[in-house]
Amino acid sequence: MKVLLIEDNVELASSISAFLAREGYICEVSYNMRDALDKLISFQYDCVLLDIMLPDGNGLEILRFMRKDQVHSPVLILSAKNSLDDKIIGLEEGADDYLTKPFHMPELNARLRAIYRRKKLNGSNIIAFNEITLNIDTFEAWVNGTMLDMTRKEFDLLMYFMVNKNRVLSRQSIAAHLWGDYTDNLSNFDFVYQHVKNIRKKISAANGTDYIGTVYGLGYKFNTSRQ
Amino acid sequence: MKIVDRFTLWFLGVTLLIIPINSVITYQSIKGQIDKAAITRLKHVNERAAQQLARGEAVGEFMQGCRIKAAPSDSTMPADFFLITDRDVKHDPDMEDYDRKITVASWHMINGVSYKIISGDYVTRSEQILAGLRESIMWKLVILIGLIVLTARLASRLVLAPFYSTLKKLQRFNLRSRTKLKFKRSRTKEFNELNCFVEKMTDKAVDDYIHLKEFSENASHELQTPLAIIRSKLELMSEYNIEGEQAVLISDMQNAVDRLMRINRSLVLLSRLENNEFECEELLDISRYARETVNTFCDLITIKGLTMDYRIEERVEVKLHTALVDILLNNLIGNAIRHNYAGGHISIELNSRHLMISNTGPEPQAPPEEMFLRFRKGTACQSSVGIGLSIVKQICDMNGFTIEYRFQAGHHIITIDFPSTFTSSKLLQNDTRYLHEKTQL
């Protein structure tokens, strides 16, 4: 999957591209609008990560250019502007998703995957790994052919793990993913622990392998090497 | 009370004070002049009587219309000595004619014989003078009051016109429209000074508003980007094989970055609230949002082992911006969950009059009135930023809700009273009309 990252901050751009490279994406970076437009005209991308505030212009202009010139790559806006109006403008201009800075990397990955599924795989709604299968349309989780009785939050969390396989997911990033922007003022992340515990219990009960491991001090990891 | 009425009243007060004093002075001086004239005349009569006696003519009972009496006297007084008496006499009791009489007595040496000559005359009594004065005072008062009221109106129309126009402009002044006020020059020095001052002040307010807005927009961007970098680097770092101690360090850093991020976001939100960026004219069905929020928090409540009951009335409509309703509810219910103990209880009540959230929890250490201040938090929760309630307070203040906190029988109770939309809007309408009428003149 080929991604174009348009971000003027070199540090942040290097972090994101390093992260995405590990995930197996091919990531190209543009630090300004001119360069980004050149790349968009010349190449095809599976997804464009777009920062709105750029040194030589507004990211929304790139969006307009893409919509006018029939560049069909999906666009995920990354912006420090987090007001409702900004989000509405961004999405109405034709972006597919809007993520406010600072975001968690696994969150970016999950959103990227979701966009990719929607746009490129014509809404393929199955995520599978070994014996675990998730149907993201019906919110059903299957292990060895048995359907798990899961709450919506548990389903979302399991999906988050499976999209971010072999990554350390911090409790904060899980909380932000499950609860959104304004619930992060909740002081402790006990409920993350509870949800993870429930998922592991339910998978084990269906004779599945417990891929989810605790990373000491940091959070959790969906470990594909476990047997 | 209008400024012109105040001036009129003052003038009237001064007039009413001066007129009695004035009339006392007038009365005294008229009476004095009358007496003086009578005395001079009587002295003159005495002189003439003395001359007549000296010529050897007898003096009759009356001379020049005054009663006169001349008789030889034993005592001698200097020639220029006059004894003046002034008394009220009962001339004719049947006619009740109380008159005032002035008599002048003098002593003369005529042909070696000492004579005492007394002459007397009736003069105008004080009541008669007063009666004359009274009428003139009445007329004076009527004319003065009429003129004062009339001229005050005229003067205020002409002189105070710049003041009223300034007032009207100030009433319509709105920071968000970002238009600066311009005033016409007036011939009154004070009004020019006032206008100049108001112009300077509002210009500064507009400039400050624009700067503050720019700052809060920039602050978000300028701070979020480095925070995003730190956070992303930490996340990349945690991907490596790290030892236990390092993991704890990374985790601590992540927590600190998260906290910074939350503070930054909350402060930016607060400043945007203070700039009144979320003004709204439409009614919003808060019941729907309340139910959604309760559902979102449901499993969190179960995990924490809390029980909850809620009574949410259908279609409760309040004037509130959509972006704020989630913040308001999330902060309040989030707080109710956080400041609670295992096995505690939360109850939520929403109806057209108020929203009440009550939860069990340890007694607060700080006094209740400090609850809504920034960065004020209970000791129990170190990780909270302590800004959530001040955001809630700000939202309430902006939308005319009254918020109240109390701790009662082991329960923290927060009540938000909604203004009844119908009456409040009517009152407001009346209020503005009243204000404009006042300035119309």
Side-chain angles (χ1 to χ4, degrees):
Chain A
M1 186 162 154
K2 201 164 144 203
V3 174
L4 176 64
L5 171 64
I6 306 168
E7 163 68 63
D8 61 317
N9 190 294
V10 182
E11 287 290 316
L12 191 61
S14 78
S15 290
I16 296 173
S17 59
F19 177 88
L20 293 180
R22 281 157 166 255
E23 196 59 32
Y25 296 86
I26 299 156
C27 185
E28 289 187 17
V29 185
S30 288
Y31 298 106
N32 55 50
M33 198 165 125
R34 239 183 43 147
D35 186 34
L37 290 177
D38 279 353
K39 284 203 166 96
L40 281 170
I41 295 167
S42 322
F43 307 103
Q44 267 275 314
Y45 293 95
D46 293 315
C47 192
V48 177
L49 301 177
L50 179 63
D51 184 16
I52 288 191
M53 283 151 109
L54 291 169
D56 55 345
N58 192 312
L60 293 176
E61 286 171 44
I62 297 180
L63 204 55
R64 273 177 225 127
F65 163 82
M66 287 173 70
R67 294 300 166 245
K68 202 176 86 216
D69 281 37
Q70 306 286 310
V71 180
H72 286 299
S73 310
V75 175
L76 170 55
I77 292 179
L78 307 175
S79 172
K81 288 188 161 187
N82 61 355
S83 78
L84 189 69
D85 292 343
D86 294 325
K87 289 181 189 171
I88 289 171
I89 291 170
L91 293 174
E92 275 185 352
E93 289 282 347
D96 295 271
D97 205 350
Y98 194 110
L99 197 56
T100 54
K101 287 181 196 168
F103 46 81
H104 291 281
M105 292 293 186
E107 179 73 25
L108 173 67
N109 186 25
R111 302 261 192 133
L112 257 178
R113 294 269 177 189
I115 290 178
Y116 188 70
R117 271 199 314 273
R118 272 205 305 273
K119 286 274 174 175
K120 292 286 166 180
L121 307 179
N122 288 325
S124 158
N125 44 22
I126 305 288
I127 298 176
F129 175 74
N130 290 354
E131 70 270 30
I132 304 176
T133 312
L134 300 183
N135 184 329
I136 54 171
D137 281 345
T138 55
F139 302 112
E140 285 170 345
W142 301 78
V143 175
N144 294 324
T146 348
M147 199 179 87
L148 301 184
D149 178 24
M150 277 185 148
T151 65
R152 177 68 202 274
K153 284 274 178 294
E154 285 163 3
F155 182 87
D156 283 347
L157 180 53
L158 182 55
M159 190 166 86
Y160 192 53
F161 272 122
M162 288 182 58
V163 168
N164 290 293
K165 291 184 206 80
N166 292 323
R167 292 203 170 284
V168 179
L169 300 179
S170 66
R171 280 179 289 268
Q172 289 95 327
S173 83
I174 293 173
H177 179 79
L178 290 184
W179 299 85
D181 273 356
Y182 283 96
T183 38
D184 59 8
N185 64 356
L186 290 166
S187 56
N188 62 50
F189 299 105
D190 286 356
F191 56 94
V192 173
Y193 166 76
Q194 279 289 346
H195 279 309
V196 173
K197 200 175 85 177
N198 286 345
I199 292 175
R200 292 169 76 173
K201 215 193 295 174
K202 282 172 186 175
I203 292 173
S204 301
N207 289 323
T209 315
D210 180 14
Y211 295 107
I212 302 172
T214 308
V215 180
Y216 174 75
L218 287 175
Y220 304 94
K221 190 174 182 177
F222 190 91
N223 205 333
T224 50
S225 55
R226 285 204 191 185
Q227 289 302 316
Chain B
M1 190 183 269
K2 273 191 208 166
I3 195 164
V4 50
D5 292 339
R6 292 199 72 131
F7 274 122
T8 314
L9 274 184
W10 269 101
F11 274 123
L12 283 181
V14 169
T15 313
L16 289 178
L17 194 76
I18 278 176
I19 281 186
I21 296 172
N22 187 22
S23 51
V24 166
I25 294 169
T26 314
Y27 165 73
Q28 291 292 354
S29 72
I30 287 175
K31 196 182 161 198
Q33 283 302 321
I34 289 172
D35 288 0
K36 219 166 118 189
I39 289 164
T40 321
R41 201 153 57 90
L42 290 174
K43 281 179 184 168
H44 186 63
V45 165
N46 282 12
E47 297 287 341
R48 290 232 1 222
Q51 283 167 19
Q52 219 170 315
L53 282 172
R55 285 200 299 270
E57 291 168 32
V59 175
E61 204 179 337
F62 291 95
M63 181 181 271
Q64 288 184 338
C66 309
R67 261 181 80 94
I68 189 158
K69 204 173 133 191
S73 152
D74 299 336
S75 58
T76 47
M77 291 286 177
D80 55 347
F81 179 77
F82 297 96
L83 180 71
I84 296 154
T85 46
D86 163 7
R87 62 201 159 111
D88 290 335
V89 290
K90 283 190 184 137
H91 179 64
D92 187 351
D94 291 338
M95 289 174 76
E96 291 187 350
D97 186 12
Y98 300 97
D99 250 331
R100 196 160 68 89
K101 194 179 181 184
I102 286 183
T103 54
V104 173
S106 58
W107 286 263
H108 302 265
M109 282 296 284
I110 300 163
N111 302 331
V113 185
S114 168
Y115 278 93
K116 181 189 183 189
I117 301 173
I118 305 169
S119 63
D121 198 6
Y122 299 100
V123 292
T124 321
R125 278 178 296 127
S126 46
E127 301 98 273
Q128 288 162 333
I129 301 171
L130 278 177
L133 273 178
R134 209 175 294 137
E135 206 177 324
S136 78
I137 288 170
M138 289 307 288
W139 277 111
K140 255 191 238 171
L141 262 182
V142 169
I143 293 169
L144 258 176
I145 292 173
L147 275 178
I148 285 174
V149 171
L150 211 76
T151 47
R153 304 266 132 184
L154 265 173
S156 94
R157 228 176 244 268
L158 295 172
V159 178
L160 294 182
F163 172 72
Y164 284 118
S165 97
T166 304
L167 203 64
K168 215 183 279 180
K169 277 189 183 154
L170 273 181
Q171 270 174 347
R172 299 204 176 123
F173 177 66
N174 187 344
L175 260 185
R176 255 158 310 135
S177 65
R178 297 186 196 184
T179 42
K180 296 187 173 176
L181 288 180
K182 281 275 163 285
F183 296 105
K184 267 187 267 173
R185 294 277 304 168
S186 132
R187 273 185 299 178
T188 320
K189 184 172 161 256
E190 282 86 346
F191 290 152
N192 276 336
E193 275 172 15
L194 174 78
N195 286 350
C196 188
F197 180 69
V198 167
E199 235 169 67
K200 253 190 223 160
M201 216 167 69
T202 49
D203 284 0
K204 181 149 173 35
V206 169
D207 287 343
D208 283 355
Y209 174 77
I210 292 170
H211 286 149
L212 200 69
K213 222 173 118 58
E214 269 173 17
F215 169 75
S216 61
E217 276 161 10
N218 291 343
S220 161
H221 187 251
E222 299 305 325
L223 289 177
Q224 299 291 48
T225 309
L227 284 174
I229 294 170
I230 299 173
R231 188 191 247 181
S232 62
K233 301 284 178 202
L234 283 175
E235 261 164 14
L236 283 179
M237 207 162 152
S238 65
E239 299 282 318
Y240 295 100
N241 277 330
I242 40 175
E243 301 293 314
E245 266 177 52
Q246 289 168 331
V248 173
L249 290 179
I250 290 175
S251 170
D252 286 350
M253 284 192 272
Q254 274 177 342
N255 283 335
V257 170
D258 263 32
R259 220 172 118 75
L260 261 180
M261 205 188 79
R262 288 205 301 266
I263 293 173
N264 179 47
R265 193 157 60 194
S266 300
L267 285 177
V268 168
L269 176 68
L270 257 183
S271 71
R272 293 183 57 179
L273 283 174
E274 278 161 6
N275 281 345
N276 283 337
E277 277 181 44
F278 299 98
E279 208 164 65
C280 106
E281 295 302 321
E282 285 157 42
L283 289 173
L284 176 111
D285 182 9
I286 190 175
S287 309
R288 193 166 58 84
Y289 287 93
R291 221 165 280 123
E292 273 173 21
T293 314
V294 167
N295 284 338
T296 324
F297 279 102
C298 236
D299 40 345
L300 196 52
I301 286 165
T302 331
I303 287 169
K304 227 187 156 181
L306 307 172
T307 51
M308 175 171 72
D309 70 278
Y310 54 91
R311 290 179 299 281
I312 297 173
E313 216 171 73
E314 287 291 326
R315 289 194 68 74
V316 174
E317 291 189 324
V318 290
K319 247 188 200 172
L320 192 62
H321 196 282
T322 23
L324 301 182
V325 63
D326 282 330
I327 300 171
L328 185 84
L329 291 166
N330 276 330
N331 278 354
L332 286 177
I333 300 178
N335 267 350
I337 296 171
R338 187 193 313 171
H339 301 285
N340 217 323
Y341 40 71
H345 183 77
I346 296 173
S347 79
I348 298 163
E349 191 185 314
L350 175 73
N351 54 42
S352 53
R353 286 181 314 283
H354 67 259
L355 166 71
M356 195 176 86
I357 294 174
S358 117
N359 63 285
T360 51
E363 198 168 337
Q365 243 94 90
E369 58 270 20
E370 286 182 10
M371 214 54 149
F372 299 111
L373 297 179
R374 288 183 198 180
F375 302 111
R376 199 58 61 120
K377 51 187 175 180
T379 43
C381 240
Q382 286 304 326
S383 55
S384 77
V385 176
I387 208 168
L389 269 183
S390 38
I391 290 176
V392 169
K393 170 96 168 108
Q394 191 72 38
I395 293 174
C396 288
D397 286 352
M398 253 177 47
N399 291 284
F401 305 159
T402 40
I403 183 161
E404 197 193 76
Y405 166 84
R406 62 180 193 277
F407 185 77
Q408 202 173 47
H411 285 75
H412 301 272
I413 303 164
I414 284 186
T415 322
I416 295 176
D417 286 314
F418 306 127
S420 53
T421 42
F422 180 69
T423 48
S424 81
S425 61
K426 269 212 115 166
L427 257 177
L428 267 175
Q429 272 170 12
N430 276 345
D431 204 16
T432 44
R433 203 184 310 146
Y434 176 72
L435 276 172
H436 286 286
E437 234 168 39
K438 276 257 160 187
T439 52
Q440 230 105 80
L441 186 95

